[in-house]
Amino acid sequence: MIHGLSRLGFGVSGAHGTPLVSAQATRGLIRQAFEGGVRVFDTAPAYGAGEAERRLGRALRDLPRSEVFVCTKAGIASEGVSERLRDFSPEGIETSMRASLARLGVEGVDALFLHGPDPYELTDALFDRLAALKSAGAFAALGVTGLGPELDAAIASGRFDLMMTPVHPFINAREEARLAAARARGMAVIAIQTAGDTPPPRRMPGRPADLYALARSLRPATPGRGRVDPVQGVRAALARAEVNTVLITTTRRAHLDAHIAACLDAGGLDWAGPPRALNAVPMAQNDLPDEAAPAENASPGGGVPAPEPVCDTEPDTETALPAFAFPAPTRAAGLARLQAFTPAMGGTYAAHRNEDRGPQDRSNVSALSAHIRRRIIREDELVRAAIDAHGLEAAETFIQEVCWRTYWKGWLEMRPAVWADYRAGLADDLDALERDGALAQRYAAAMEGRTGLACFDAWARELNETGYLHNHARMWAASIWIYTLDLPWRLGADWFLRHLIDGDPASNTLSWRWVCGLHTPGKTYLARAANIARFTGGRLRPHPRDLACEAPPLSDDPGHPAPAPLAPAARVDRTAPSVLLLTGEDLHPESWGVQGMDIRGAATLDSSAALSPLAVGEAASAFTRAAFADARQRTAQAFGCAVNEAGSMADVIALARQAGARQIITQRPCQGPAREALDSAAPAIRAAGLTLGELRRSWDEAFFPHADKGFFKLRKAIPDVFRSLGLTAASGGCG
């Protein structure tokens, strides 16, 4: 006897494997079904080339596993829209089973159905392989699906626990006999197509999901058959003694409610308690296919495959070393770190940069990203140190990493609408949290490091506590957030941006877009267990089955527009009495080239609170506060003037008027809250009789025009740009 079958089941099939129904809508229906008492959930790799399984797997994360009966199938797969691939060989079934488990995110399913096998395909070799898979815990019960005579051999074999077949008011005598034979064998029967196998009535589609129903209605009718109202068909099937469960699928919440009500009217859903326990023996690890490490393109990583780890281990907190001491948020500390790290900028950096050694050891990276982000230390200073110590070619890897940040900023400067779209999409995602309690709980658990996935939880704690993650860990965490935890990417990007001490609107937003396939269309990043284990030195070892096995590109984005010409910086009047405005985009006014001008005063304006509607992390806030304090001190010394801490652009305008200035001078901010603050204040600046003079560093002027396409174009330009900036006279190396 099969335990755990509810009287009503929900099929994640049909339109749920297509873009006609959103993944969010599918998950909502699964949750609605569960809350209504449905416990049987069925899917198959043939539905949308595995997409239906992925959707069910994501929904299962929100449900108690012991209270659902999960079914999938093997033997038929799909490619594209209509191509069907048939493979009932022992190897084919096992390969299909493993892929299904990975997509579903479970160690085993409650029932595996052979998807319409012909009698000659039911070989002893196949049953031997199925027995081994069952013993390994891949599935608990074996079922068979079919529409007609192909089921007779399966029933006669005595090898199957369940049968899935049409049961409706129009079945013939032979089909009646088949149901009786299955019952006599002790097989549970899951009824499908209970309204009849005649196509449904044709109706004009009112929404995309209705197109699937319209396509079904165009199928030829079966002679001698009929069709009843779907709810009536469910009631009729439930009234039969042979039927244990009726499986329905729908894309409409009202239809699902109607079917649940019909089941309740027929005597209840009769969930018989948790499914029978699955065999706890895991699949043999040496049977798993080797995992190739990802080819890293837009960020560091990659390498040869490492052996598959077999468990997800918590970091050893008992013997953890003290956290690495990042340089203080001052220019003096940054220069000291620059000097100390310069000897490692050549081959040492190239060989070890990808290693995430943990929060106690960041010696393999410069640890200056937060200083560079605010230009406490400038890019040209890092590059000159690297070239002087190692030469352009030997320092190529380090220099390219410096230039990646420049590429992101230049790319976004020419496409400001992408930042605006991100802001609008984030607002929508935050609104969704208010409406969806389950999503809000998963979101909070991820940010707080309570997912149960030890590697991700360790990164979450490190980010929240220190404001830093190794670049490789950022990629892994972003991929897991999107594809394993199935959370909206903008919410993850916002979490990073609020907590990273080097959080930058361009680098952060575009890196997350790259991970989910929105920056380079179709190219995504998939976090792999072997890659994580290798580059953390075995410190973190997630189980492969705990991570998503695929990373399909997201499509919830308008795409990026063609690059627009760079907006020019507002002209600086070098004769006008001025005040300086320091934003978080550039805190090194000593190199602005304004010495000798009539500088009447200066102010700092911290716009980081406007990075997000949510609060900025404490580590990031503390770094920013200290960085601004250091900048005020240096500015006062360099220009011999008072430097105010402004709370808004209104304060800056008031300072300028009080000082008798006619101009506010700043480094032109890139896309982000500082840029937004200046744009919003433009009318008030003019109304006060002031002008805004903007500077743009020669580094940006030289590099930004090369950021209109992919990074490769900018990378090729590095030697020529460096020559134009006087950084090197060498040729080759980086290009």
Side-chain angles (χ1 to χ4, degrees), residues 204-261:
M204 289 301 295
R207 59 195 181 120
D210 295 340
L211 292 171
Y212 194 88
L214 177 62
R216 292 181 62 222
S217 73
L218 299 177
R219 296 180 306 178
T222 304
R225 301 287 200 177
R227 185 173 183 84
V228 298
D229 175 79
V231 172
Q232 180 184 345
V234 167
R235 288 196 179 102
L238 289 171
R240 299 187 64 110
E242 306 94 337
V243 172
N244 298 78
T245 298
V246 170
L247 188 71
I248 61 100
T249 188
T250 183
T251 61
R252 294 181 179 271
R253 289 181 174 271
H255 291 177
L256 179 56
D257 283 338
H259 285 106
I260 292 173

Side-chain angles (χ1 to χ4, degrees), residues 26-27 30-31 54-63 486:
T26 298
R27 292 196 301 274
I30 293 170
R31 165 63 69 171
R54 281 188 288 271
R55 293 187 180 191
L56 177 56
R58 291 165 186 163
L60 289 175
R61 296 175 198 144
D62 297 330
L63 305 178
D486 191 31

Side-chain angles (χ1 to χ4, degrees), residues 371-391:
H371 293 70
I372 300 165
R373 186 264 174 273
R374 296 168 179 82
R375 278 183 167 153
I376 303 169
I377 302 296
R378 305 188 313 273
E379 295 93 335
D380 61 293
E381 292 179 301
L382 268 74
V383 166
R384 188 177 296 280
I387 293 174
D388 288 349
H390 303 280

Side-chain angles (χ1 to χ4, degrees), residues 324 337 340-341 344 348-349 352 355 357-367:
F324 174 83
R337 174 61 181 169
F341 189 71
T348 301
Y349 177 81
H352 299 288
E355 299 167 5
R357 299 173 176 177
Q360 77 283 351
D361 184 4
R362 297 300 180 199
S363 60
N364 60 322
V365 294
S366 74

